[in-house]
């Protein structure tokens, strides 16, 4: 994730972390750690983390939930080291889970992002017969990274997002957004965000894609949708993975230039938004920084599909 396109945290939280000198690590996220993350990130916004914890659970802040736990995390420990990342999801019986529902064409979505919001990745590891997830991975830059495992156990049919951290040794140069950013440029595409993220009610956010000043109407389905939106709250990186509702698009269908998402922030404050879209078989990630307000005013979008946040069904 480069500087022009990074974002500040959005709605109920998301992502993965790299830091300075650790080969592998897994961490539970206790309540006091939330405050520490906020301080470490330099978040000066008005996000009230304690109020959120008292009101409703926010996805992406715990290594274990409802009897399920993210365990046995291993990953390369320094920049440039070739290797793989691996982990397991243990169930209420303490054994690795091997039966997952397919959600947006995959049994598990792995989101990785550095604690400052940079280096966003959306990956899909492979599950072996013993219940270990893995895929090849190397780190381009050092830092502390958050990992988010987003999945639905077949046994419960309920969406879960579990998180932990991995530390990557090397020189660390923070790359944090300082101002809201509602436009992004990626690989020649211009993406514009309209709408106001609200902490008081659900609101529409419409993202419109253009190229060379012309609307792009050739958005292809990617993982069963014309767009995927990951939202992270700056400071604690609480996580939302937002998908379109309704019937998944057919394999050869096209859409655009606008994709609309409906969601609500858990608190006022700054959020980082990551929009993934596909054109000509290539997936691009546009990044934004949005401040959530207490009220909501939403400009109408030209075309849209409503979506709901992960944690409440994909």
């Amino acid at each position: 994730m480069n500087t022009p396109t990074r974002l500040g945290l959005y709605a109920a939280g998301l992502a993965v972390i790299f830091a300075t000198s650790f080969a592998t690590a897994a961490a539970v996220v206790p309540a006091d750690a939330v405050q520490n993350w906020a301080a470490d990130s330099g978040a000066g916004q008005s996000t009230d983390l304690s109020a959120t914890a008292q009101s409703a659970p926010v996805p992406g802040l715990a290594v274990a939930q409802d009897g399920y736990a993210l365990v046995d995390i291993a990953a390369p420990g320094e920049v440039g080291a070739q290797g793989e990342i691996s982990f397991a999801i243990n169930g209420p019986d303490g054994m690795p889970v091997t039966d997952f529902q397919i959600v947006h064409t995959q049994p598990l979505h792995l989101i990785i992002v550095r604690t400052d919001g940079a280096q966003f990745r959306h990956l899909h590891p492979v599950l072996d017969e013993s219940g270990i997830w893995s895929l090849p991975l190397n780190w381009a830059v050092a830092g502390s990274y958050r990992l988010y495992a987003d999945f639905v156990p077949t046994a419960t049919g309920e969406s879960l997002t579990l998180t932990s951290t991995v530390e990557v040794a090397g020189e660390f140069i923070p790359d944090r957004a300082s101002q809201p950013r509602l436009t992004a440029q990626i690989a020649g595409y211009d993406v514009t965000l309209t709408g106001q993220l609200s902490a008081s009610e659900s609101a529409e956010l419409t993202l419109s894609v253009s190229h060379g000043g012309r609307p792009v109407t050739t958005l292809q389905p990617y993982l069963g949708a014309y767009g995927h939106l990951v939202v992270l709250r700056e400071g604690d990186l609480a996580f939302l993975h937002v998908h379109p509702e309704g019937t998944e698009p057919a394999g050869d269908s096209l859409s655009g230039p606008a994709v609309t998402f409906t969601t609500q922030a858990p608190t006022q404050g700054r959020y980082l938004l990551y929009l993934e879209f596909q054109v000509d078989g290539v997936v691009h990630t546009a990044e934004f920084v949005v401040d959530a307000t207490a009220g909501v005013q939403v400009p109408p979008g030209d075309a849209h599909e409503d979506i709901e946040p992960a944690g409440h069904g994909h």
Side-chain angles (χ1 to χ4, degrees), residues 20-269:
T20 13
S21 64
F22 218 92
T24 61
V28 179
V29 185
D32 58 349
V34 173
Q35 297 294 346
N36 293 337
W37 284 336
D40 292 343
S41 71
Q45 286 67 38
S46 59
T47 302
D48 186 347
L49 303 178
S50 60
T52 302
Q54 295 172 4
S55 59
V58 178
L61 291 179
V63 72
Q65 182 181 339
D66 300 337
Y68 292 85
L70 178 59
V71 300
D72 299 334
I73 300 171
E78 60 185 11
V79 173
Q82 297 297 318
E84 68 174 21
I85 187 168
S86 63
F87 58 89
I89 305 294
N90 279 1
D93 60 358
M95 300 299 292
V97 178
T98 58
D99 193 3
F100 297 84
Q101 291 187 5
I102 302 298
V103 179
H104 286 271
T105 76
Q106 297 291 334
L108 184 142
H109 298 264
L110 177 65
I111 305 296
I112 300 178
V113 68
R114 203 167 65 176
T115 46
D116 59 1
Q119 301 297 317
F120 176 88
R121 302 193 204 187
H122 181 171
L123 305 171
H124 301 101
V126 176
L127 178 66
D128 69 16
E129 293 181 356
S130 68
I132 301 298
W133 296 90
S134 65
L135 83 165
L137 185 70
N138 62 75
W139 309 112
V141 293
S144 181
Y145 286 81
R146 285 283 293 281
L147 313 176
Y148 300 87
D150 193 24
F151 60 93
V152 178
T154 299
T156 66
E158 298 293 330
S159 177
L160 287 174
T161 301
L162 303 181
T163 187
S164 189
T165 62
V166 169
E167 311 294 340
V168 178
E171 182 180 1
F172 173 61
I173 302 175
D175 185 18
R176 181 176 293 110
S178 60
Q179 298 294 329
R181 184 168 54 249
L182 304 182
T183 60
Q185 294 77 41
I186 178 72
Y189 294 93
D190 296 295
V191 187
T192 302
L193 185 153
T194 56
Q196 177 64 62
L197 181 63
S198 172
S200 62
E201 57 186 309
S202 294
E204 288 186 352
L205 299 173
T206 298
L207 294 114
S208 301
V209 183
S210 63
H211 190 279
R214 296 183 178 182
V216 173
T217 57
T218 55
L219 299 180
Q220 298 171 319
Y222 170 60
L223 300 175
Y226 290 118
H228 294 267
L229 184 65
V230 169
V231 178
L232 303 177
R233 183 168 60 186
E234 189 177 61
D236 63 355
L237 297 184
F239 171 92
L240 279 181
H241 191 175
V242 189
H243 291 130
E245 292 179 338
T247 304
E248 294 185 357
D252 295 331
S253 62
L254 300 175
S255 186
V259 182
T260 297
F261 303 84
T262 301
T263 193
Q264 180 177 346
T267 60
Q268 297 183 56

Side-chain angles (χ1 to χ4, degrees), residues 234-313:
E234 189 177 61
D236 63 355
L237 297 184
F239 171 92
L240 279 181
H241 191 175
V242 189
H243 291 130
E245 292 179 338
T247 304
E248 294 185 357
D252 295 331
S253 62
L254 300 175
S255 186
V259 182
T260 297
F261 303 84
T262 301
T263 193
Q264 180 177 346
T267 60
Q268 297 183 56
R270 181 153 294 175
Y271 291 81
L272 309 174
L273 281 64
Y274 305 81
L275 171 71
E276 295 177 283
F277 64 95
Q278 180 171 257
V279 180
D280 294 332
V282 179
V283 178
H284 305 284
T285 302
E287 304 172 4
F288 306 86
V289 180
V290 174
D291 288 335
T293 65
V296 58
Q297 292 181 342
V298 184
D302 295 330
H304 70 273
E305 294 176 338
D306 292 334
I307 60 170
E308 61 184 11
H312 301 78

